[in-house]
Amino acid sequence: KRNFIKMVKVLFVFMTVVFLNNSVFAASYYRDRTITGVGIYYAGDKSVLLIDIDGSKAGMPTCASTARLAINSSAPHYKEMVSIAMAANVSGQNTVDVFVTGTCDYYGNAQDILGIKMGTMPW
């Protein structure tokens, strides 16, 4: 009986971790959007790219209180993200897809960006 209770407890902890991991860190997309604003901000020892997009932002995590997207210079693909975000903003692209996480680790009040795609190219 003790082994069964112990096994149930372990299973409960495992399922809780899996559920939290999938709900908090799940990646998603904002598809067919226009970048309406983009800027670079210096925060401590890092540069931060902040992006605003059009359309609904209802799926943003609660930590993204400013309803913006962000990536900072600690990310290995930061420079590439700055380049493509600036190019999309200047060109007025209206078919931008932004790949995001459910976290706000790059800048405390903006949703983390994993990628940006312009045009009709599939991911």
Side-chain angles (χ1 to χ4, degrees):
K1 186 173 178 174
R2 280 183 169 227
N3 286 339
F4 176 75
I5 292 172
K6 187 175 181 179
M7 187 172 68
V8 169
K9 286 180 182 179
V10 169
L11 183 59
F12 175 77
V13 170
F14 174 76
M15 294 303 291
T16 302
V17 168
V18 167
F19 172 76
L20 289 175
N21 188 37
N22 287 338
S23 63
V24 173
F25 300 108
S28 61
Y29 296 91
Y30 294 105
R31 296 190 186 275
D32 298 322
R33 301 299 183 92
T34 299
I35 294 177
T36 58
V38 63
I40 304 292
Y41 178 72
Y42 185 70
D45 60 345
K46 296 179 182 117
S47 292
V48 180
L49 170 67
L50 296 167
I51 296 174
D52 198 4
I53 55 174
D54 68 347
S56 173
K57 299 173 192 166
M60 280 192 166
T62 56
C63 60
S65 59
T66 60
R68 297 178 298 182
L69 308 170
I71 188 169
N72 71 31
S73 55
S74 69
H77 59 303
Y78 173 77
K79 291 178 183 178
E80 293 83 356
M81 297 290 288
V82 170
S83 296
I84 199 163
M86 294 295 188
N89 189 48
V90 169
S91 70
Q93 276 289 331
N94 58 2
T95 53
V96 174
D97 291 351
V98 185
F99 187 45
V100 295
T101 68
T103 59
C104 300
D105 295 332
Y106 286 127
Y107 194 65
N109 62 13
Q111 188 172 15
D112 294 343
I113 303 170
L114 294 175
I116 300 173
K117 176 187 76 70
M118 294 183 347
T120 58
M121 177 191 76
W123 281 98

